[in-house]
Amino acid sequence: MGTRPLLNRRLDGLGTTIFAEMSALATATGSINLGQGFPDTDGPEEIREAAVRALRDGRGNQYPPGPGIPELRQAVAGHQQRFYGLTYDPDTEVLVTAGATEAIAAALLALLEPGDEVIAFEPFYDSYSACIAMAGATRVPLTLRAPGFRPDLDELRALITPRTRLLLINTPHNPTGLVLTPAELAAIAGLAVEHDLLVVTDEVYEHLVFSGGHHPIAALPGMRERTVSISSAGKTFSFTGWKVGWVTASAPLVAAVRTAKQYLTYVSAGPFQYAVAEALRLPDGYFDDFRADMLRKRDLLGDGLAAAGFAVFQPQGTYFITTDITPLGEKDGVEFCRSLPGRCGVVAIPNAVFYDDAEAGRSLVRFTFCKRDDVLAEAVTRLRRL
Ligand code: PMP
Ligand code: GLN
C-alpha cells in the first residue's frame, strides 16, 4: 500500500473516541462505567412500546421520508413552541437526523468552506473537532477555565476574524456542566449579528438545566435566520441507542443542512421516529420528573466525589460532573483515568482530550451521574478507597 498513510490528514490524530476507549476498558475490567454518558435504565415504557408497535405495524420499516416522518417533524415543532415559544414550520424548518451527532456533522459539512474558522468553546464535545476537520475548516477555541468555566466574552470578540463563519455553542455544556446565562447568550448573539456569523447550537441537554431553565439562542433578536438548533431524543428520553436527533432552523438553513444529510445517512431509523414523536408529546410532568431525578443524582455523586477528595465543580446542567484530581495528589487526568479501573473499578473520562490547550484540562476528570442510585453509591464507595 506504499508509504502514504491510509487515514487522511484531516482526520490524523483523531484516533478512537475516548468514549469507545473508556467503555471498552469498563467492559474488559468489569468496572462501573461513569465515563460514557448513557443511562443504565431505559426511558419510559410506553415510549418503548410505541417503538415496538411501530415495528409490528410496519410503520417505518421501509425508508421513511428523507427529512423525517411528518409526525415527528410536527412533534419537534410542537416541542419548540411548547417549551420556548419558537415557531417552526414542520415541513420546511425541521429536519430529523441520526442523532445530534449527524445533525452536527451535516450542519458543519453543509455550511463551511475549507479555510473558514469556527469558534467553539473548549473543552469541545469530541465530534466537533472531527466534523470541523472533515469540512476542511479551522477550529478556534475559546477556552473555558476552571473553576467557573464561564466564557470570556471579550476574548470571544477578539477571536473573531474576517475568516470566522460560524460560532458553535453548546449549552448546557458537556463536559463542564456550564449553562450560558441569558446575558451571555445575548452577548454572543450580539456578536453574531454584528459580524454576520452563523450559529450552530447543540442543545441536547436542554431538559437538564437545574435552575433557571433553558434559553435557546434562536429566540434572541436577529438570531432566527442565522441559527441552526440541534437536539436529540437520546438524553431527554434515555434512549441513547435509538439515535434520533433533529435540527430546527429557517428554511434556507434547513435546506442546506438537508443537502449534506441526504448523503450521510439519507434517513434515520423509521420505527423509532414514531416513538420519539410520542415522547416529545409527553406531559410537562415527564420532563420535570426527569430533571428532578437527575438533580438528585447530581448531588448524590457530587457529595460522594467531594467526600472521596475530588474538587467538584458543581454542574448547572447536563448529567456530567467535572472534577479536579489535584487534591488527591494526582496531576494527569489521562493517566488517572487509564489506571482508575485497575485501582478501584471505576471508569471516568479525562477532560484533557476535549482541549487543544491540553494544559488547561490536564487535571480535570469527568464523571456521569445518569446511573442507578445503587451504582452511584457503589462507585463512591470504591472511589473513597483511593
Ligand atoms: N452533543 C453533545 C454535547 C453530547 O453530549 C452528545 C452525546 N449525546 C451528542 C451531541 C450526541 O448526541 P446523539 O447521541 O443524539 O448523537
Ligand atoms: N455524549 C456522550 C458523552 O459525552 C457520549 C456519546 C458518544 O459516545 N459519542 O459521554
Side-chain angles (χ1 to χ4, degrees):
M1 293 298 292
T3 52
R4 184 175 140 180
L6 292 176
L7 187 64
N8 72 46
R9 242 178 298 157
R10 293 183 302 287
L11 292 176
D12 189 25
L14 291 167
T16 304
T17 88
I18 190 68
F19 305 116
E21 180 188 339
M22 288 297 162
S23 284
L25 190 59
T27 306
T29 58
S31 295
I32 296 179
N33 190 356
L34 302 189
Q36 195 175 26
F38 63 90
D40 57 3
T41 310
D42 283 347
E45 185 56 31
E46 73 222 74
I47 302 305
R48 217 155 38 144
E49 284 306 315
V52 171
R53 249 192 343 269
L55 267 167
R56 288 224 174 91
D57 297 349
R59 284 178 298 142
N61 291 335
Q62 308 304 329
Y63 292 130
I69 62 164
E71 291 86 337
L72 178 53
R73 282 184 276 117
Q74 283 153 15
V76 168
H79 171 277
Q80 297 307 89
Q81 187 74 54
R82 163 157 67 134
F83 287 99
Y84 312 121
L86 286 166
T87 306
Y88 287 102
D89 176 349
D91 290 332
T92 58
E93 297 184 319
V94 178
L95 174 68
V96 176
T97 56
T101 306
E102 191 201 24
I104 293 160
L108 296 176
L109 289 169
L111 300 173
L112 294 171
E113 291 290 357
D116 283 346
E117 292 178 359
V118 177
I119 302 177
F121 299 145
E122 157 178 272
F124 316 97
Y125 178 62
D126 69 341
S127 82
Y128 301 171
S129 308
C131 292
I132 294 168
M134 286 191 273
T138 303
R139 63 177 184 268
V140 176
L142 175 68
T143 306
L144 305 176
R145 294 180 193 283
F149 300 110
R150 303 237 69 93
D152 179 333
L153 297 166
D154 293 327
E155 202 179 322
L156 175 58
R157 174 180 288 280
L159 290 176
I160 296 171
T161 76
R163 285 186 303 280
T164 309
R165 174 64 169 159
L166 190 150
L167 305 178
L168 174 52
I169 68 172
N170 171 214
T171 182
H173 181 258
N174 178 6
T176 64
L178 168 82
V179 173
L180 294 174
T181 62
E184 285 165 342
L185 288 166
I188 294 168
L191 288 172
V193 171
E194 180 185 336
H195 295 275
D196 196 20
L197 306 177
L198 297 171
V199 171
V200 172
T201 174
D202 176 347
E203 304 183 357
V204 299
Y205 299 101
E206 61 188 311
H207 288 288
L208 286 175
V209 176
F210 298 122
S211 76
H214 174 68
H215 301 281
I217 197 166
L220 296 179
M223 294 308 289
R224 195 184 191 283
E225 67 265 30
R226 64 180 69 251
T227 303
V228 175
S229 303
I230 292 172
S231 193
S232 108
K235 307 292 162 170
T236 299
F237 302 110
S238 298
F239 288 117
T240 60
W242 288 9
K243 298 299 293 187
V244 175
W246 51 86
V247 163
T248 49
S250 67
L253 281 169
V254 162
V257 179
R258 190 172 56 224
T259 304
K261 186 248 146 57
Q262 286 181 108
Y263 302 109
L264 292 172
T265 56
Y266 179 53
V267 285
S268 31
F272 295 130
Q273 295 189 41
Y274 289 91
V276 171
E278 284 195 27
L280 285 166
R281 294 199 182 96
L282 286 170
D284 290 357
Y286 167 78
F287 299 88
D288 294 339
D289 291 350
F290 172 64
R291 186 175 52 248
D293 196 41
M294 284 296 171
L295 176 59
R296 199 179 45 70
K297 290 178 187 292
R298 176 192 77 172
D299 293 338
L300 189 64
L301 183 65
D303 293 349
L305 289 168
F310 292 82
V312 173
F313 304 109
Q314 181 84 299
Q316 300 131 36
T318 75
Y319 45 47
F320 303 110
I321 295 183
T322 286
T323 63
D324 194 317
I325 56 175
T326 315
L328 295 167
E330 302 277 348
K331 289 194 189 72
D332 190 285
V334 174
E335 272 174 34
F336 178 80
C337 288
R338 292 214 166 106
S339 71
L340 200 58
R343 288 167 69 189
C344 71
V346 175
V347 162
I349 298 284
N351 290 32
V353 300
F354 304 131
Y355 286 84
D356 283 339
D357 178 4
E359 214 36 56
R362 204 155 103 86
S363 61
L364 304 181
V365 168
R366 187 196 86 174
F367 294 85
T368 183
F369 51 85
C370 58
K371 304 292 172 180
R372 294 195 319 265
D373 290 3
D374 59 309
V375 172
L376 294 174
E378 173 59 22
V380 166
T381 304
R382 294 183 186 189
L383 289 165
R384 288 184 75 153
R385 288 191 210 120
L386 281 176

